[in-house]
Amino acid sequence: MGRLVHFEVHVDNMERAMKFYGEVFGWKFEDWTDYAGMPYFGAVTGDANEPGVNGALMQRRGPAPEANQPMNGYSCTMGVVDYEATEKLILEHGGKVAVPKYALPGMAWQGYYVDTEGNVFGVHQPDENAK
């Protein structure tokens, strides 16, 4: 089996992206630029003893995604405890709604957003009462 072990978010403005993901999701960053040979910041997304995947922000090497284009690649989804509070933070820090919150009946609330760099990501709050 091939298990997801790392992700990369391609960004135009590293400081802006670190501020967005740090303030919205509480991610911490480690400068791995010397190792990667380009602007590259490891993203620690949570406690090592909890399920989840760490990744990185890397300098974009081509054009940014265009508004309203279909998804081209993988979409990462962040698990959250409070969907509304998370959405508020996303919008306050320059993110935009891509697909509004909707129910996955009996399982969770889900929605998609565009970050400050034009990338789409998901938000997922488990809730057995979602409908």
Side-chain angles (χ1 to χ4, degrees), residues 2 18 28 36 43-44 66 72 85 87-88 95 97 118 131:
M18 285 194 292
K28 306 292 183 215
V44 178
E66 293 182 27
N72 182 12
E87 180 178 73
K88 184 174 188 265
V97 175
K131 49 181 155 170

mmCIF file of all heavy atoms in Angstrom, residues 2 18 28 36 43-44 66 72 85 87-88 95 97 118 131:
data_model
loop_
_atom_site.group_PDB
_atom_site.id
_atom_site.type_symbol
_atom_site.label_atom_id
_atom_site.label_comp_id
_atom_site.label_asym_id
_atom_site.label_seq_id
_atom_site.Cartn_x
_atom_site.Cartn_y
_atom_site.Cartn_z
ATOM 1 N N GLY A 2 0.442 2.257 -0.694
ATOM 2 C CA GLY A 2 1.109 3.553 -0.650
ATOM 3 C C GLY A 2 0.345 4.482 0.266
ATOM 4 O O GLY A 2 -0.757 4.920 -0.052
ATOM 5 N N MET A 18 2.503 31.242 5.437
ATOM 6 C CA MET A 18 2.797 30.786 6.799
ATOM 7 C C MET A 18 1.876 31.479 7.797
ATOM 8 O O MET A 18 1.395 30.840 8.740
ATOM 9 C CB MET A 18 4.267 31.037 7.150
ATOM 10 C CG MET A 18 5.190 30.044 6.484
ATOM 11 S SD MET A 18 6.877 30.029 7.144
ATOM 12 C CE MET A 18 7.478 31.619 6.627
ATOM 13 N N LYS A 28 2.975 25.020 12.822
ATOM 14 C CA LYS A 28 4.310 25.558 13.108
ATOM 15 C C LYS A 28 5.201 25.240 11.912
ATOM 16 O O LYS A 28 4.994 24.222 11.235
ATOM 17 C CB LYS A 28 4.902 24.921 14.372
ATOM 18 C CG LYS A 28 4.018 25.032 15.591
ATOM 19 C CD LYS A 28 3.894 26.456 16.060
ATOM 20 C CE LYS A 28 3.048 26.506 17.328
ATOM 21 N NZ LYS A 28 2.241 27.673 17.424
ATOM 22 N N ALA A 36 16.316 21.755 0.828
ATOM 23 C CA ALA A 36 15.566 21.629 -0.424
ATOM 24 C C ALA A 36 16.191 22.394 -1.594
ATOM 25 O O ALA A 36 15.884 22.106 -2.745
ATOM 26 C CB ALA A 36 14.136 22.115 -0.215
ATOM 27 N N ALA A 43 5.928 21.973 7.554
ATOM 28 C CA ALA A 43 4.729 22.315 8.307
ATOM 29 C C ALA A 43 4.428 21.211 9.311
ATOM 30 O O ALA A 43 4.156 20.079 8.924
ATOM 31 C CB ALA A 43 3.545 22.493 7.355
ATOM 32 N N VAL A 44 4.506 21.549 10.582
ATOM 33 C CA VAL A 44 4.143 20.631 11.651
ATOM 34 C C VAL A 44 2.675 20.921 11.957
ATOM 35 O O VAL A 44 2.335 22.000 12.441
ATOM 36 C CB VAL A 44 5.028 20.832 12.892
ATOM 37 C CG1 VAL A 44 4.603 19.895 14.015
ATOM 38 C CG2 VAL A 44 6.495 20.631 12.536
ATOM 39 N N GLU A 66 -5.899 29.282 -11.538
ATOM 40 C CA GLU A 66 -6.815 30.348 -11.929
ATOM 41 C C GLU A 66 -8.119 30.202 -11.154
ATOM 42 O O GLU A 66 -8.529 29.090 -10.824
ATOM 43 C CB GLU A 66 -7.090 30.272 -13.431
ATOM 44 C CG GLU A 66 -5.863 30.586 -14.268
ATOM 45 C CD GLU A 66 -6.163 30.556 -15.755
ATOM 46 O OE1 GLU A 66 -7.331 30.796 -16.146
ATOM 47 O OE2 GLU A 66 -5.233 30.283 -16.518
ATOM 48 N N ASN A 72 -7.103 20.430 -9.972
ATOM 49 C CA ASN A 72 -6.053 19.781 -10.740
ATOM 50 C C ASN A 72 -4.991 19.326 -9.750
ATOM 51 O O ASN A 72 -4.082 20.073 -9.419
ATOM 52 C CB ASN A 72 -5.461 20.749 -11.772
ATOM 53 C CG ASN A 72 -4.405 20.087 -12.626
ATOM 54 O OD1 ASN A 72 -4.255 18.879 -12.624
ATOM 55 N ND2 ASN A 72 -3.659 20.889 -13.349
ATOM 56 N N ALA A 85 -16.071 28.412 13.728
ATOM 57 C CA ALA A 85 -14.920 29.190 14.198
ATOM 58 C C ALA A 85 -13.780 29.119 13.190
ATOM 59 O O ALA A 85 -13.098 30.112 12.938
ATOM 60 C CB ALA A 85 -14.460 28.696 15.565
ATOM 61 N N GLU A 87 -14.083 28.542 9.886
ATOM 62 C CA GLU A 87 -14.461 29.335 8.714
ATOM 63 C C GLU A 87 -14.249 30.826 8.975
ATOM 64 O O GLU A 87 -13.730 31.547 8.118
ATOM 65 C CB GLU A 87 -15.906 29.076 8.319
ATOM 66 C CG GLU A 87 -16.313 29.900 7.097
ATOM 67 C CD GLU A 87 -17.718 29.635 6.631
ATOM 68 O OE1 GLU A 87 -18.666 30.090 7.326
ATOM 69 O OE2 GLU A 87 -17.863 28.989 5.582
ATOM 70 N N LYS A 88 -14.594 31.273 10.150
ATOM 71 C CA LYS A 88 -14.398 32.687 10.516
ATOM 72 C C LYS A 88 -12.922 33.067 10.410
ATOM 73 O O LYS A 88 -12.573 34.103 9.830
ATOM 74 C CB LYS A 88 -14.930 32.925 11.932
ATOM 75 C CG LYS A 88 -14.876 34.368 12.391
ATOM 76 C CD LYS A 88 -15.552 34.516 13.750
ATOM 77 C CE LYS A 88 -15.684 35.961 14.133
ATOM 78 N NZ LYS A 88 -14.650 36.466 14.965
ATOM 79 N N GLY A 95 -8.783 34.038 3.258
ATOM 80 C CA GLY A 95 -9.301 32.905 2.504
ATOM 81 C C GLY A 95 -10.690 33.203 1.963
ATOM 82 O O GLY A 95 -11.335 34.172 2.363
ATOM 83 N N VAL A 97 -14.516 31.235 0.393
ATOM 84 C CA VAL A 97 -15.324 30.021 0.284
ATOM 85 C C VAL A 97 -15.280 29.535 -1.158
ATOM 86 O O VAL A 97 -15.517 30.298 -2.091
ATOM 87 C CB VAL A 97 -16.787 30.284 0.706
ATOM 88 C CG1 VAL A 97 -17.646 29.051 0.474
ATOM 89 C CG2 VAL A 97 -16.862 30.730 2.163
ATOM 90 N N GLY A 118 -4.306 30.829 -3.652
ATOM 91 C CA GLY A 118 -5.133 30.301 -4.731
ATOM 92 C C GLY A 118 -5.355 28.803 -4.692
ATOM 93 O O GLY A 118 -5.937 28.238 -5.606
ATOM 94 N N LYS A 131 -26.951 16.568 8.953
ATOM 95 C CA LYS A 131 -27.932 16.189 7.932
ATOM 96 C C LYS A 131 -28.393 17.406 7.172
ATOM 97 O O LYS A 131 -28.271 18.508 7.547
ATOM 98 C CB LYS A 131 -29.109 15.436 8.516
ATOM 99 C CG LYS A 131 -29.762 16.035 9.721
ATOM 100 C CD LYS A 131 -30.897 15.150 10.180
ATOM 101 C CE LYS A 131 -31.158 15.354 11.670
ATOM 102 N NZ LYS A 131 -32.325 14.752 12.147
#
